[in-house]
Protein backbone atom coordinates (compact mmCIF):
# COMPACT_ATOMS: atom_id res chain seq x y z
CA UNK A 1 0.00 0.00 0.00
CA UNK A 2 1.00 3.61 -0.41
CA UNK A 3 2.89 5.49 2.24
CA UNK A 4 2.04 8.84 3.74
CA UNK A 5 3.63 11.75 1.91
CA UNK A 6 3.70 15.45 2.75
CA UNK A 7 0.52 17.31 1.81
CA UNK A 8 0.68 19.48 -1.35
CA UNK A 9 -1.30 22.61 -2.17
CA UNK A 10 -3.04 20.98 -5.19
CA UNK A 11 -4.06 17.94 -3.20
CA UNK A 12 -7.56 16.66 -2.49
CA UNK A 13 -8.41 14.26 0.33
CA UNK A 14 -11.42 12.03 -0.22
CA UNK A 15 -12.83 8.56 0.38
CA UNK A 16 -14.99 6.28 -1.75
CA UNK A 17 -18.22 4.99 -0.28
CA UNK A 18 -21.10 2.81 -1.41
CA UNK A 19 -24.53 4.30 -0.75
CA UNK A 20 -27.12 1.68 0.15
CA UNK A 21 -30.59 1.07 -1.24
CA UNK A 22 -32.14 0.49 2.21
CA UNK A 23 -30.87 3.75 3.71
CA UNK A 24 -34.21 4.63 5.42
CA UNK A 25 -34.37 1.19 7.06
CA UNK A 26 -30.75 1.43 8.24
CA UNK A 27 -31.35 4.93 9.65
CA UNK A 28 -34.39 3.58 11.49
CA UNK A 29 -32.28 0.79 13.06
CA UNK A 30 -29.50 3.29 13.86
CA UNK A 31 -31.87 5.75 15.53
CA UNK A 32 -33.69 3.05 17.48
CA UNK A 33 -30.43 1.56 18.78
CA UNK A 34 -29.09 5.03 19.60
CA UNK A 35 -32.19 5.74 21.70
CA UNK A 36 -32.11 2.32 23.38
CA UNK A 37 -28.60 2.86 24.69
CA UNK A 38 -29.60 6.24 26.06
CA UNK A 39 -28.74 8.68 23.24
CA UNK A 40 -25.21 9.18 24.54
CA UNK A 41 -23.78 12.57 23.66
CA UNK A 42 -20.35 10.93 23.23
CA UNK A 43 -21.48 9.39 19.92
CA UNK A 44 -22.01 11.00 16.52
CA UNK A 45 -24.59 9.51 14.15
CA UNK A 46 -23.27 8.40 10.74
CA UNK A 47 -25.04 8.36 7.41
CA UNK A 48 -25.42 4.74 6.23
CA UNK A 49 -22.71 3.68 3.78
CA UNK A 50 -19.90 1.17 3.27
CA UNK A 51 -16.46 2.70 2.94
CA UNK A 52 -14.87 1.12 -0.13
CA UNK A 53 -11.58 3.07 0.02
CA UNK A 54 -10.58 4.89 3.22
CA UNK A 55 -9.36 8.50 3.05
CA UNK A 56 -6.76 8.99 0.32
CA UNK A 57 -5.01 11.95 -1.24
CA UNK A 58 -4.58 12.74 -4.91
CA UNK A 59 -3.63 15.65 -7.13
CA UNK A 60 -6.73 17.79 -7.72
CA UNK A 61 -6.06 17.73 -11.45
CA UNK A 62 -6.85 13.97 -11.39
CA UNK A 63 -10.45 14.38 -10.19
CA UNK A 64 -11.93 13.28 -13.54
CA UNK A 65 -9.70 10.20 -13.56
CA UNK A 66 -10.79 9.32 -10.01
CA UNK A 67 -14.43 9.66 -11.11
CA UNK A 68 -13.73 7.36 -14.08
CA UNK A 69 -12.16 4.78 -11.72
CA UNK A 70 -15.26 4.87 -9.51
CA UNK A 71 -17.60 4.56 -12.51
CA UNK A 72 -15.64 1.57 -13.86
CA UNK A 73 -16.06 -0.35 -10.58
CA UNK A 74 -19.62 -1.35 -11.59
CA UNK A 75 -20.66 -2.57 -8.16
CA UNK A 76 -24.17 -1.13 -8.26
CA UNK A 77 -26.82 -3.63 -7.17
CA UNK A 78 -24.22 -5.78 -5.35
CA UNK A 79 -26.11 -7.68 -2.64
CA UNK A 80 -25.19 -6.57 0.88
CA UNK A 81 -26.39 -9.03 3.55
CA UNK A 82 -26.78 -7.57 7.06
CA UNK A 83 -25.88 -10.03 9.81
CA UNK A 84 -26.37 -8.02 13.01
CA UNK A 85 -25.02 -5.28 15.23
CA UNK A 86 -21.39 -5.21 16.30
CA UNK A 87 -18.77 -2.83 17.74
CA UNK A 88 -15.20 -1.90 16.88
CA UNK A 89 -12.54 -2.42 18.12
CA UNK A 90 -14.03 -4.36 21.06
CA UNK A 91 -16.94 -4.47 23.47
CA UNK A 92 -14.59 -3.02 26.11
CA UNK A 93 -13.81 -0.07 23.83
CA UNK A 94 -16.94 0.42 21.66
CA UNK A 95 -15.72 3.37 19.58
CA UNK A 96 -17.86 2.39 16.57
CA UNK A 97 -21.30 0.74 16.63
CA UNK A 98 -21.96 -0.90 13.27
CA UNK A 99 -23.91 -3.41 11.21
CA UNK A 100 -21.91 -6.47 10.16
CA UNK A 101 -21.93 -7.43 6.50
CA UNK A 102 -19.99 -10.29 4.91
CA UNK A 103 -20.19 -8.65 1.45
CA UNK A 104 -17.06 -9.58 -0.53
CA UNK A 105 -15.33 -6.44 -1.82
CA UNK A 106 -11.76 -7.79 -1.95
CA UNK A 107 -11.36 -8.01 -5.73
CA UNK A 108 -13.19 -4.82 -6.75
CA UNK A 109 -11.44 -2.88 -3.98
CA UNK A 110 -8.04 -4.22 -5.04
CA UNK A 111 -8.74 -3.10 -8.62
CA UNK A 112 -9.76 0.39 -7.47
CA UNK A 113 -6.69 0.70 -5.22
CA UNK A 114 -4.34 -0.32 -8.06
CA UNK A 115 -5.92 2.24 -10.40
CA UNK A 116 -5.69 4.96 -7.74
CA UNK A 117 -2.06 4.09 -7.13
CA UNK A 118 -1.34 4.49 -10.87
CA UNK A 119 -2.51 8.11 -10.73
CA UNK A 120 -0.37 8.80 -7.65
CA UNK A 121 -3.00 8.56 -4.92
CA UNK A 122 -1.69 7.88 -1.42
CA UNK A 123 -3.33 6.67 1.80
CA UNK A 124 -2.05 5.88 5.24
CA UNK A 125 -4.67 3.39 6.43
CA UNK A 126 -5.51 0.15 4.65
CA UNK A 127 -9.19 -0.67 4.02
CA UNK A 128 -11.00 -2.49 6.82
CA UNK A 129 -13.57 -5.27 6.50
CA UNK A 130 -16.87 -4.03 5.05
CA UNK A 131 -19.36 -2.74 7.62
CA UNK A 132 -22.08 -0.12 7.92
CA UNK A 133 -21.22 2.45 10.60
CA UNK A 134 -24.25 3.51 12.66
CA UNK A 135 -22.56 5.86 15.14
CA UNK A 136 -19.08 6.43 16.52
CA UNK A 137 -17.01 8.24 19.12
CA UNK A 138 -13.42 9.22 19.69
CA UNK A 139 -13.56 9.01 23.48
CA UNK A 140 -12.81 5.27 23.56
CA UNK A 141 -12.09 3.95 27.02
CA UNK A 142 -13.69 6.91 28.80
CA UNK A 143 -17.15 5.57 27.94
CA UNK A 144 -18.94 4.83 31.21
CA UNK A 145 -19.23 1.20 32.35
CA UNK A 146 -23.03 1.57 32.39
CA UNK A 147 -23.09 2.69 28.73
CA UNK A 148 -20.74 -0.14 27.73
CA UNK A 149 -23.07 -2.60 29.47
CA UNK A 150 -26.12 -1.21 27.58
CA UNK A 151 -24.22 -1.44 24.26
CA UNK A 152 -23.16 -5.01 25.07
CA UNK A 153 -26.76 -6.03 25.78
CA UNK A 154 -27.99 -4.43 22.55
CA UNK A 155 -25.24 -6.04 20.47
CA UNK A 156 -26.01 -9.49 21.89
CA UNK A 157 -29.76 -9.11 21.38
CA UNK A 158 -29.34 -7.90 17.77
CA UNK A 159 -27.24 -10.81 16.51
CA UNK A 160 -28.95 -12.34 13.51
CA UNK A 161 -28.85 -15.84 12.13
CA UNK A 162 -28.79 -16.97 8.52
CA UNK A 163 -32.19 -15.33 7.96
CA UNK A 164 -30.58 -11.87 7.96
CA UNK A 165 -32.01 -9.22 5.68
CA UNK A 166 -30.28 -7.79 2.65
CA UNK A 167 -29.80 -4.45 0.98
CA UNK A 168 -27.78 -3.56 -2.10
CA UNK A 169 -25.36 -0.95 -3.34
CA UNK A 170 -27.34 1.91 -4.84
CA UNK A 171 -24.40 3.96 -6.15
CA UNK A 172 -20.80 4.98 -5.42
CA UNK A 173 -19.75 8.38 -4.28
CA UNK A 174 -16.47 10.28 -3.93
CA UNK A 175 -16.54 12.27 -0.71
CA UNK A 176 -14.07 15.11 -0.47
CA UNK A 177 -12.91 15.70 3.10
Amino acid sequence: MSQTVPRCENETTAFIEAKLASEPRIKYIRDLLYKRIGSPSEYTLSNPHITIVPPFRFDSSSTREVSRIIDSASLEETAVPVKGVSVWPSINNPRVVLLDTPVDLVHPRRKILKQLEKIGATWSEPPVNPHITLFKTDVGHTISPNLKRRIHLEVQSKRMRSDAWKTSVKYFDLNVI
Side-chain angles (χ1 to χ4, degrees), residues 138-172:
D138 286 328
V139 296
H141 287 289
T142 62
I143 295 170
S144 73
N146 189 34
L147 178 56
K148 287 181 188 179
R149 198 168 24 261
R150 288 194 314 263
I151 291 172
H152 182 68
L153 290 171
E154 287 301 319
V155 167
Q156 282 193 310
S157 71
K158 303 293 184 277
R159 285 281 175 208
M160 296 177 202
R161 295 177 300 279
S162 59
D163 59 343
W165 58 277
K166 292 182 183 175
T167 186
S168 63
V169 173
K170 189 172 184 179
Y171 65 91
F172 283 88

Side-chain angles (χ1 to χ4, degrees), residues 16-138:
I16 299 171
E17 69 179 4
K19 292 292 189 177
L20 302 166
S22 298
E23 186 172 315
R25 182 176 187 183
I26 296 167
K27 282 183 176 180
Y28 175 79
I29 292 167
R30 176 200 66 193
D31 295 348
L32 187 64
L33 182 60
Y34 191 75
K35 287 176 188 169
R36 287 183 57 98
I37 65 168
S39 300
S41 60
E42 297 95 353
Y43 286 94
T44 303
L45 296 175
S46 295
N47 285 320
H49 69 276
I50 297 175
T51 300
I52 304 298
V53 177
F56 64 99
R57 295 192 310 246
F58 62 97
D59 188 296
S60 300
S61 66
S62 300
T63 301
R64 277 199 174 124
E65 184 62 18
V66 172
S67 293
R68 189 199 61 73
I69 290 168
I70 294 169
D71 291 343
S72 71
S74 299
L75 290 172
E76 286 82 0
E77 298 187 27
T78 298
V80 179
V82 177
K83 295 291 188 178
V85 177
S86 186
V87 293
W88 180 89
S90 71
I91 196 64
N92 292 319
N93 183 18
R95 291 180 53 214
V96 180
V97 178
L98 54 98
L99 293 176
D100 286 325
T101 177
V103 64
D104 184 6
L105 297 174
V106 173
H107 298 296
R109 182 186 279 158
R110 191 176 296 145
K111 180 181 172 186
I112 292 168
L113 291 172
K114 282 182 182 180
Q115 290 176 328
L116 288 173
E117 213 165 28
K118 284 181 185 177
I119 65 163
T122 59
W123 50 91
S124 56
E125 296 180 30
V128 296
N129 289 335
H131 64 275
I132 302 166
T133 301
L134 299 176
F135 42 93
K136 58 187 174 180
T137 185
D138 286 328

